[in-house]
């Protein structure tokens, strides 16, 4: 492609609050630009994973190239880079944005600007993207496009009066969106004769091709004979194939040059070598500097994952290995629990990431898992002057050796209709939030700012937020740093035996309450045995809460004659089967479920 | 071989009953009896029993049956008697067998006697309920060979009887008992149910005492089970049994009966010496039995066979049945969980004789774990204590 052709390329992404219609608009754009016939269209082409479709969120960045014949008579190449839709993946989002010149901002005509809308817009503005607002769901009875346009102008401060009023779902006004992409979003720049600088915004592992790098060529060019080097990781390899994207398939080509979006395969075996945000350059003629903005993302949330059936440990390891090929931010290392046996301590970007991995392990790899309470990374400053980072409560040193501890905090923005402000403020206070101010977006909605400890939001904060605002609150956060905190390790003793998998680190002020609720919850989860089972919560050997599972003195004494034998046998076998799936702690059998149910203590 | 015959008709269906029985299909009785007779004729064929006993699947067992026929030379066709299936016990249950006309019972008994070799001292039981027993019926039952009556009284408290939806009151139970005695029955069992919603230990013991006062040979005391699909299940959906009270009822029941010389021989069964139900004991020691009638179950060799459970379907196709194959593993499980229902429990030597293998170490380990509170271990025998019976499911499930 020659230089002049750059003017016919539009690299853009679509940003939106969850459920505002990002993926549906992407579908319409693909449909209208004719890369797919209707028959090939499956709803939401870009959300590849079953899980993504079900949850209605995008987890991995997806890219599609389409050709649009505009009203000016010219053909334009659209590179649509779909970005992950969740705060857990903010870094990936920022790299996808960096690969674009513009962003189509989708705002729901009824709901208006939400927390993620703002967060995404700020992120896009940070990358100097041209933001092109689109008002979606215009055909809803509750649509108020005028109000939403004013809101965009007032709150975000961008021109929105000529924003296309569309319904992505029903294909209304899509043409106008396409025309505005041509007229409003700038063409890419970059000099194809400069040394190669290609921004990696995603990479996937394919069992045939190895690692496939998704990249935007910022400067220079790459051909099939280039030897490439990742500037941050230092990995080098010969290019095997380069090309561009069609939905669901790859189209090889001879050369990619500045301004273009495409893929590279180079017989790389591990996505760890091709970190999102890294710069690909030509090993023979390297660029002087990498592109700005690269950082190695580190897990924020950790938990233990154990196979429900101990014999499946090897299967779990293989599955994690495979998932990691595609997900460099997933970390894991073996660990052992007295209660749960052999498993892994896994690190995730956030709770959603954790849930997604857990679900994928269960669905795609057919594993039955027991997950321990998620933990953040605590910094433990010891009296001998050293500092430890703790992700597993069991590794916490003896309290006597601890000088003080620190925990990570986030700055959070919560957008909520004014009637629920009180309820949400109360929730934030319960979660040790520090109030940082409130703004009224309009007369009915407010933006609350809080500093919250990360460990207070990784449990069930989202659920609590939703239930206390009847689903109206939206939430976004970013990690702010570490602050000293009065933290204690809460141990759970079942029949006088400490269950390591149930220990967790908690702020001293909420320890009593959490301990009490843990005991209550466990009391309901642990089946009765032939003896009484005390359940205790303790801090450093001091019991702070106790419940008792009463001894069972009688089970069902059904009669059992000729016709009852089969049923009886099945009943006893089922009982045995149930026991098999339990974990034996001392002489108490604890259902797997009990280990997880304690994660949701806020249910009312 | 034992024989169970099912009569699925009742005057009135009890609120807690989930047995295949009807109170509104009296018109079907003649057709049912015809079907039942076909079922009996078929089941009592020696070749049928051999088919049951043959090891493998249907295809094999069919060929096996014909081969067996050839070998034996003279089957039913020969008209000779020696090959009739020997029957040691007959149990006519329901439903309420005493509800239908006594002539039907006579017909059934005649048929069985002509098609099977009923042993001299066979135990032949008929289930009766207090409001359907008459002097005439009792005499006819005796005359056709029935020598044991099991009467479902359930309670001697009229309030409780109403709660259960029974068709009779306590006075009727007394009366029926005397009618049976006077007719000449010297082996009568009374069934009682405990653990009713709101029932206390003294409430039940009062009923129990009334039963003991009648001096039957046998008393069964069952815990009420609220089964899904019964009206009881809806009425008492929110009822939580008081476990401590139920434990009291059970332990006091055992004590009271034992001290009145009704000796416990199974979880819910008590008898004067020598009057244990041989038929029911058969179920717990792995005896073979034939089951005839709607939903009846038979067991022989490696098969457990259950007849059709829908009335119309049974009437039109009385030979239709569902087979469950019983593996060697199943037999071991059954040896334990059925055998342990008996007061005398199980014996390791007996196990070794039957299964030709050493009594498993892990079995011993499980028993030891629950000894002595729940299980009494003596030489090679293992048996539940009263406390053990109460939690027997929990313990027995470990052998599965």
């Amino acid at each position: 492609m020659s230089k002049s052709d750059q003017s016919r390329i539009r690299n853009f992404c679509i940003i939106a609050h969850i459920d505002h219609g990002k993926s549906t608009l992407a579908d319409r754009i693909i449909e209208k630009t004719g890369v797919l016939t209707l028959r090939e269209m499956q709803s939401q082409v870009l959300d590849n994973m079953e899980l993504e479709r079900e949850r209605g969120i995008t987890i991995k960045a997806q890219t599609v190239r389409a050709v649009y014949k505009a009203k000016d008579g010219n053909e334009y190449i659209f590179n649509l880079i779909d970005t992950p839709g969740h705060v857990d993946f903010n870094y990936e989002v920022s790299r996808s944005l960096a690969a674009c010149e513009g962003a189509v901002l989708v705002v729901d005509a009824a709901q208006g600007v939400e927390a993620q809308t703002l967060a995404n817009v700020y992120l896009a503005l940070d990358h100097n993207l041209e933001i092109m607002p689109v008002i979606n769901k215009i055909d809803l009875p509750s649509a108020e496009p005028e109000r939403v346009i004013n809101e965009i102008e007032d709150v975000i401060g961008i021109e929105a009066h000529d924003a296309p009023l569309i319904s992505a779902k029903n294909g209304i006004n899509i043409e106008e969106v396409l025309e505005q992409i041509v007229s409003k979003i700038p063409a890419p720049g970059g000099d194809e004769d400069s040394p190669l600088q290609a921004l990696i915004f995603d990479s996937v592992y394919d069992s045939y091709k190895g690692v496939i790098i998704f990249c935007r060529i910022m400067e220079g060019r790459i051909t099939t004979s280039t030897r490439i080097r990742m500037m941050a990781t230092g990995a080098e390899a010969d290019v095997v194939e380069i090309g561009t994207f069609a939905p669901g398939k790859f189209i090889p080509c001879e050369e990619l040059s500045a301004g273009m979006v495409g893929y590279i395969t180079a017989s790389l075996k591990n996505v760890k070598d091709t970190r999102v945000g890294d710069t690909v350059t030509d090993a023979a003629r390297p660029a002087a500097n990498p592109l700005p903005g690269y950082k190695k993302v580190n897990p924020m949330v950790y938990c233990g994952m154990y196979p429900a059936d101990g014999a499946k440990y090897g299967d779990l390891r293989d599955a994690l290995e495979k998932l990691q090929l595609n997900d460099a931010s997933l970390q894991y290392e073996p660990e052992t629990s007295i209660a749960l046996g052999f498993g892994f301590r896994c690190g995730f970007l956030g709770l959603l990431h954790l849930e997604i991995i857990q679900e994928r392990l269960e669905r795609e790899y057919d594993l039955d898992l027991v997950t321990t309470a998620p933990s953040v990374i605590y910094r433990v400053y010891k009296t001998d002057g050293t500092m430890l980072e703790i992700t597993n409560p069991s590794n916490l040193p003896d309290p006597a050796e601890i000088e003080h501890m620190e925990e990570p905090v986030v700055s959070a923005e919560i957008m909520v209709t004014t009637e629920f402000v009180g309820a949400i403020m109360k929730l934030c206070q319960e979660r040790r939030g520090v109030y940082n101010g409130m703004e009224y977006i309009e007369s009915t909605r407010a933006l609350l700012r809080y500093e919250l400890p990360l460990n207070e939001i990784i449990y069930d904060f989202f659920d609590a937020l939703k239930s206390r605002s009847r689903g109206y609150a939206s939430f976004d956060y970013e990690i702010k740093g570490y602050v000293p905190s009065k933290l204690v390790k809460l141990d759970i003793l079942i029949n006088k035996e400490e269950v390591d998998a149930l220990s967790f680190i908690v702020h001293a002020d909420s320890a009593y309450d959490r301990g009490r609720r843990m005991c209550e919850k466990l009391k309901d989860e642990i089946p009765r045995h032939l003896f009484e089972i005390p359940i205790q919560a303790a801090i450093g050997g001091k019991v702070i809460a106790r419940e008792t599972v009463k001894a069972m003195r009688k089970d069902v004494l059904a009669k059992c004659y000729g016709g009852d034998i089969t049923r009886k046998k099945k009943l006893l076998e089922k009982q045995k089967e149930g026991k098999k799936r339990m974990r034996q702690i001392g002489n108490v059998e604890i259902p797997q479920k009990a280990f997880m149910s304690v994660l949701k203590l806020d249910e009312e | 071989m034992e024989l169970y015959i099912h009569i699925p008709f009742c005057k009135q269906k009890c609120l807690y009953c989930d047995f295949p029985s009807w109170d509104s299909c009296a018109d079907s009785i003649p057709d049912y009896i015809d079907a039942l007779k076909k079922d009996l004729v078929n089941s009592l064929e020696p070749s049928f029993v051999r088919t049951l006993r043959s090891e493998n699947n249907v295809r094999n067992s069919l060929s096996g049956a014909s081969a067996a026929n050839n070998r034996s030379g003279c089957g039913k066709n020969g008209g000779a008697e020696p090959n009739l299936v020997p029957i040691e016990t007959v149990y006519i249950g329901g439903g309420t067998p005493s509800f239908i006309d006594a002539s039907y019972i006579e017909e059934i008994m005649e048929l069985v006697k002509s098609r099977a070799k009923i042993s001299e001292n066979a135990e032949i039981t008929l289930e009766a309920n207090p409001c359907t027993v008459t002097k005439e019926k009792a005499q006819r039952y005796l005359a056709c060979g029935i020598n044991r009556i099991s009467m479902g009284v359930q309670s001697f408290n009229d309030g409780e009887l109403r709660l259960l939806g029974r068709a009779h009151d306590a006075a009727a139970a007394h009366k029926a008992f005397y009618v049976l005695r006077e007719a000449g029955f010297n082996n009568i069992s009374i069934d009682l149910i405990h653990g009713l919603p709101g029932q206390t230990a003294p409430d039940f013991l009062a009923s129990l005492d009334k039963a003991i006062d009648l001096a039957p040979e046998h008393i069964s005391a069952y815990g009420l089970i609220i089964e899904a699909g019964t009206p009881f299940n809806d009425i008492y959906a929110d009822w939580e049994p008081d476990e401590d009270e139920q434990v009291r009822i059970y332990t006091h029941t055992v004590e009271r009966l034992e001290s009145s010389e009704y000796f416990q021989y199974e979880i819910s069964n008590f008898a004067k010496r020598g009057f244990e139900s041989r038929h029911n004991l058969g179920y717990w020691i792995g005896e073979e039995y034939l089951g005839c009638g709607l939903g009846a179950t038979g067991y022989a060799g490696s098969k457990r066979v259950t007849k059709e459970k829908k009335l119309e379907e049974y009437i039109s196709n009385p030979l239709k049945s569902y087979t469950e194959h019983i593996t060697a593993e199943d037999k071991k499980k059954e040896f334990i969980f059925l055998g342990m229902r008996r007061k005398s429990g199980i014996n390791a030597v007996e196990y070794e004789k039957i299964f030709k293998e050493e009594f498993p170490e892990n079995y011993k380990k499980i028993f030891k774990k629950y000894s002595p509170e729940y299980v009494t271990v003596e030489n090679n025998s293992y048996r539940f204590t009263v406390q053990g019976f109460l939690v027997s499911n929990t313990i027995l499930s470990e052998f599965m």
Side-chain angles (χ1 to χ4, degrees):
Chain A
M1 185 176 281
S2 72
K3 254 185 170 171
S4 63
D5 284 332
Q6 277 186 349
S7 66
R8 301 279 164 78
I9 298 177
R10 295 295 179 272
N11 296 320
F12 64 97
C13 56
I14 306 177
I15 55 178
H17 185 69
I18 190 163
D19 281 343
H20 281 196
K22 184 173 82 164
S23 298
T24 318
L25 178 59
D27 286 355
R28 286 298 93 78
I29 291 173
I30 293 162
E31 196 183 291
K32 290 279 179 191
T33 49
V35 282
L36 281 187
T37 62
L38 262 181
R39 197 173 54 80
E40 287 169 315
M41 273 303 285
Q42 200 184 349
S43 175
Q44 301 187 2
V45 185
L46 293 185
D47 284 352
N48 272 338
M49 277 188 268
E50 185 190 351
L51 205 60
E52 289 184 320
R53 266 192 216 132
E54 262 181 39
R55 289 192 168 226
I57 50 166
T58 311
I59 300 164
K60 294 283 290 182
Q62 303 283 340
T63 304
V64 70
R65 181 180 193 262
V67 179
Y68 174 62
K69 190 159 194 246
K71 286 185 179 142
D72 65 10
N74 294 319
E75 283 195 340
Y76 289 86
I77 292 168
F78 283 4
N79 285 308
L80 164 55
I81 299 169
D82 199 14
T83 57
H86 191 274
V87 55
D88 279 7
F89 307 105
N90 254 353
Y91 175 68
E92 275 85 346
V93 176
S94 84
R95 294 304 85 202
S96 295
L97 295 179
C100 301
E101 276 74 40
V104 175
L105 171 69
V106 182
V107 183
D108 186 305
Q111 288 181 12
V113 173
E114 291 285 357
Q116 277 179 345
T117 317
L118 277 183
N120 283 319
V121 165
Y122 293 148
L123 217 50
L125 288 173
D126 283 349
H127 293 91
N128 296 318
L129 299 197
E130 179 66 34
I131 294 172
M132 180 193 130
V134 166
I135 313 298
N136 191 24
K137 306 194 188 180
I138 201 71
D139 51 349
L140 285 184
S142 54
E144 293 179 80
E146 275 312 307
R147 179 182 69 82
V148 172
I149 285 169
N150 288 331
E151 202 175 279
I152 293 173
E153 296 196 333
D154 294 350
V155 179
I156 304 176
I158 56 170
E159 177 72 34
H161 261 93
D162 56 351
L165 305 181
I166 69 160
S167 162
K169 193 173 157 208
N170 295 313
I172 300 169
N173 267 344
I174 305 300
E175 203 74 10
E176 206 183 320
V177 177
L178 300 174
E179 283 299 320
Q180 284 202 6
I181 290 170
V182 171
S183 63
K184 289 199 160 175
I185 293 176
D191 179 356
E192 64 184 49
D193 296 323
S194 295
L196 174 65
Q197 279 182 314
L199 173 69
I200 303 178
F201 59 85
D202 199 4
S203 61
V204 297
Y205 180 81
D206 179 275
S207 45
Y208 298 106
K209 294 179 192 265
V211 176
I212 304 171
I213 301 165
F214 290 25
C215 62
R216 157 73 194 273
I217 315 294
M218 306 304 282
E219 297 289 343
R221 73 180 82 188
I222 184 168
T223 68
T224 44
S225 57
T226 309
R227 180 167 177 81
I228 54 168
R229 179 191 298 160
M230 312 313 135
M231 295 185 78
T233 65
E236 273 191 30
D238 290 318
V239 169
V240 173
E241 189 181 304
I242 56 175
T244 54
F245 307 101
K249 51 183 181 246
F250 297 103
I251 301 170
C253 66
E254 292 301 312
E255 183 185 293
L256 292 173
S257 60
M260 295 175 80
V261 170
Y263 69 89
I264 306 168
T265 68
S267 62
L268 288 157
K269 285 292 164 227
N270 201 319
V271 287
K272 278 184 192 160
D273 294 331
T274 57
R275 295 239 172 218
V276 169
D278 198 355
T279 304
V280 180
T281 193
D282 186 338
R285 190 184 163 223
N289 295 304
L291 295 162
Y294 171 76
K295 65 177 182 188
K296 187 168 177 285
V297 285
N298 289 312
M300 299 302 305
V301 174
Y302 286 80
C303 77
M305 285 192 165
Y306 292 81
D309 172 1
K312 293 270 173 77
Y313 173 79
D315 295 2
L316 175 58
R317 188 192 50 221
D318 294 348
L320 284 168
E321 215 166 81
K322 282 196 189 120
L323 286 180
Q324 201 187 41
L325 283 176
N326 255 330
D327 185 348
S329 46
L330 167 66
Q331 292 188 359
Y332 64 92
E333 57 183 52
E335 76 171 4
T336 324
S337 150
I338 301 160
L340 300 173
F342 292 102
F344 296 91
R345 177 114 318 225
C346 302
F348 308 92
L349 297 175
L351 198 62
L352 179 80
H353 189 212
L354 184 160
E355 283 175 17
I356 287 164
I357 295 294
Q358 186 184 341
E359 272 192 54
R360 291 189 67 188
L361 287 168
E362 287 178 348
R363 280 192 207 185
E364 293 168 31
Y365 297 92
D366 201 23
L367 288 162
D368 211 353
L369 295 178
V370 182
T371 314
T372 65
S375 168
V376 300
I377 308 168
Y378 296 99
R379 289 185 181 159
V380 180
Y381 292 87
K382 292 173 65 175
T383 46
D384 63 7
T386 57
M387 191 269 281
L388 284 177
E389 293 202 330
I390 295 286
T391 62
N392 181 347
S394 305
N395 297 338
L396 197 70
D398 189 283
E401 295 171 28
I402 299 174
E403 206 269 317
H404 78 282
M405 284 172 73
E406 287 183 356
E407 65 175 330
V409 291
V410 304
S411 40
E413 292 190 340
I414 300 165
M415 194 167 287
V416 65
T417 46
T418 40
E419 57 181 316
F420 297 113
V421 163
I424 299 304
M425 288 178 84
K426 185 161 171 274
L427 172 68
C428 290
Q429 263 151 29
E430 285 165 20
R431 301 302 177 98
R432 299 190 280 129
V434 176
Y435 177 71
N436 272 347
M438 176 167 70
E439 275 171 44
Y440 279 90
I441 300 301
E442 43 175 9
S443 56
T444 56
R445 283 193 317 151
L447 181 71
L448 281 164
R449 291 208 173 82
Y450 269 91
E451 186 180 298
L452 282 158
L454 184 62
N455 87 347
E456 294 287 347
I457 59 176
I458 57 170
Y459 285 89
D460 47 5
F461 188 74
F462 291 92
D463 295 346
L465 198 64
K466 282 258 141 66
S467 72
R468 296 199 194 181
S469 67
R470 290 199 214 121
Y472 282 116
S474 61
F475 172 57
D476 199 81
Y477 69 86
E478 62 181 31
I479 300 292
K480 199 175 162 210
Y482 275 79
V483 297
S485 181
K486 222 173 103 196
L487 298 161
V488 293
K489 178 171 157 240
L490 189 68
D491 294 316
I492 299 294
L493 290 82
I494 293 178
N495 206 19
K496 308 268 158 71
E497 287 207 40
E498 190 182 310
V499 183
D500 60 355
L502 290 172
S503 294
F504 58 98
I505 291 169
V506 62
H507 191 265
D509 293 348
S510 29
Y512 170 75
D513 186 51
R514 273 209 111 90
R516 185 180 49 80
R517 282 191 290 166
M518 277 287 268
C519 291
E520 283 168 6
K521 193 99 185 190
L522 284 167
K523 184 190 170 196
D524 294 338
E525 293 290 345
I526 296 173
R528 293 197 301 157
H529 285 54
L530 298 186
F531 45 88
E532 192 177 275
I533 305 166
I535 300 169
Q536 296 159 307
I539 298 170
K542 182 173 170 268
V543 173
I544 57 163
R546 177 188 162 126
E547 290 285 335
T548 306
V549 178
K550 272 181 64 182
M552 186 182 65
R553 301 183 60 202
K554 173 186 173 290
D555 49 32
V556 176
L557 292 180
K559 55 175 90 175
C560 186
Y561 299 119
D564 310 316
I565 292 171
T566 298
R567 185 158 76 148
K568 180 84 177 178
K569 189 164 63 191
K570 285 195 180 133
L571 193 105
L572 292 173
E573 281 169 348
K574 211 173 130 197
Q575 206 168 335
K576 161 99 170 194
E577 204 45 50
K579 265 192 202 168
K580 244 207 273 182
R581 285 203 305 273
M582 293 193 202
R583 296 287 174 164
Q584 182 103 23
I585 308 288
N587 50 357
V588 179
E589 272 140 358
I590 304 176
Q592 318 267 22
K593 221 171 90 217
F595 292 97
M596 323 235 251
S597 65
V598 296
L599 311 186
K600 301 210 165 177
L601 293 175
D602 200 53
E603 281 163 9
E604 277 146 272
Chain B
M1 184 66 88
E2 307 193 328
L3 173 63
Y4 176 79
I5 300 170
H6 192 73
I7 306 292
F9 302 100
C10 287
K11 183 172 174 185
Q12 174 181 324
K13 184 153 173 125
C14 304
L15 296 172
Y16 55 89
C17 172
D18 80 325
F19 266 48
S21 68
W22 287 273
D23 53 12
S24 56
C25 300
D27 296 348
S28 311
I29 294 173
D31 291 340
Y32 180 80
I33 299 296
D34 284 345
L36 175 61
K37 285 180 184 166
K38 282 183 204 141
D39 186 1
L40 281 163
V41 167
N42 180 65
S43 298
L44 292 168
E45 274 294 336
S47 64
F48 176 81
V49 174
R50 278 195 299 273
T51 309
L52 275 185
R53 283 179 185 154
S54 69
E55 281 298 317
N56 296 313
N57 57 34
V58 177
R59 200 181 62 232
N60 292 339
S61 64
L62 283 176
S63 59
S66 62
N69 262 338
N70 290 342
R71 254 200 317 278
S72 64
C74 50
K76 193 84 195 56
N77 297 342
E81 294 211 352
N83 283 326
L84 291 181
V85 175
I87 297 288
E88 279 83 40
T89 68
V90 179
Y91 197 104
I92 305 175
T96 314
S98 62
F99 166 62
I100 63 171
D101 211 282
S103 63
Y104 292 127
I105 302 296
E106 288 164 346
E107 286 173 35
I108 290 164
M109 285 305 296
E110 286 317 307
L111 181 78
V112 173
K113 280 188 258 180
S114 70
R115 298 279 171 153
K117 186 170 174 288
I118 298 188
S119 70
E120 286 285 306
N121 59 347
E123 174 194 280
I124 303 175
T125 307
L126 178 117
E127 280 184 349
N129 92 349
C131 54
T132 54
V133 168
T134 62
K135 190 176 167 190
E136 188 219 340
K137 273 184 180 166
Q139 284 165 346
R140 288 170 73 174
Y141 293 154
L142 264 179
C144 70
I146 287 158
N147 54 24
R148 184 173 181 270
I149 298 285
S150 171
M151 186 159 70
V153 172
Q154 318 313 2
S155 169
F156 284 97
N157 175 319
D158 286 344
E160 289 180 359
L161 288 168
R162 274 193 298 275
L163 182 99
L164 290 166
R166 301 285 297 177
H168 60 88
D169 58 14
H174 274 103
K175 202 175 137 225
F177 187 85
Y178 291 125
V179 165
L180 291 167
R181 269 283 189 259
E182 278 161 25
F185 278 101
N186 55 17
N187 189 354
I188 303 175
S189 175
I190 284 179
D191 282 1
L192 296 174
I193 289 183
H194 57 69
L196 276 55
Q199 188 184 53
T200 62
D203 291 340
F204 181 71
L205 291 175
S207 266
L208 190 62
D209 283 340
K210 290 198 173 124
I212 293 168
D213 287 344
L214 287 172
E217 283 66 31
H218 186 284
I219 293 176
S220 300
Y222 298 113
L224 173 71
I225 310 284
I226 299 189
E227 301 282 2
T230 61
F232 235 63
N233 192 43
D234 300 333
I235 302 169
Y236 295 104
D238 297 327
W239 175 65
E240 283 275 343
D242 175 347
E243 191 174 282
D244 290 342
E245 194 62 32
Q246 302 214 341
V247 168
R248 252 193 304 279
I249 291 176
Y250 187 76
T251 47
H252 288 172
T253 296
V254 174
E255 279 165 26
R256 183 70 56 95
L257 285 167
E258 292 263 348
S259 64
S260 308
E261 299 193 327
Y262 289 93
F263 300 104
Q264 184 172 29
Y265 68 99
E266 194 255 2
I267 292 178
S268 316
N269 284 292
F270 305 81
K272 295 273 187 196
R273 290 260 183 260
F275 286 94
E276 298 83 5
S277 165
R278 281 160 50 202
H279 183 88
N280 288 342
L281 272 170
Y283 292 132
W284 306 316
I285 58 177
E287 288 284 343
E288 293 182 324
Y289 44 94
L290 294 168
C292 292
L294 182 98
T297 300
Y299 166 69
S302 308
K303 294 191 190 83
R304 190 168 279 118
V305 178
T306 300
K307 296 284 160 56
E308 172 60 43
K309 284 190 170 128
K310 288 191 280 293
L311 184 59
E312 278 166 42
E313 180 63 26
Y314 178 81
I315 288 172
S316 60
N317 193 359
L319 305 188
K320 187 170 165 189
S321 66
Y322 305 90
T323 302
E324 178 200 1
H325 290 270
I326 307 296
T327 64
E329 277 313 299
D330 286 331
K331 284 191 183 183
K332 287 173 198 167
K333 291 178 186 175
E334 290 177 11
F335 177 89
I336 301 285
F337 85 80
L338 293 173
M340 287 301 289
R341 295 188 70 86
R342 294 175 304 160
K343 179 72 190 245
S344 56
I346 57 144
N347 189 293
V349 177
E350 203 180 319
Y351 176 96
E352 287 168 0
K353 236 190 287 173
I354 296 171
F355 297 106
K356 317 252 182 302
E357 65 170 36
E358 220 171 291
F359 192 66
E361 277 305 314
N362 66 317
Y363 285 10
K364 287 186 200 165
K365 230 162 81 190
I366 298 168
F367 281 132
K368 212 162 276 166
K369 185 166 87 183
Y370 291 106
S371 161
E373 193 181 353
Y374 302 103
V375 176
T376 304
V377 181
E378 241 169 38
N379 301 321
N380 289 311
S381 88
Y382 303 89
R383 59 176 197 268
F384 279 128
T385 62
V386 173
Q387 295 312 315
F389 276 139
L390 278 164
V391 292
S392 52
N393 283 354
T394 302
I395 296 172
L396 291 172
S397 70
E398 295 194 27
F399 292 90
M400 294 291 116

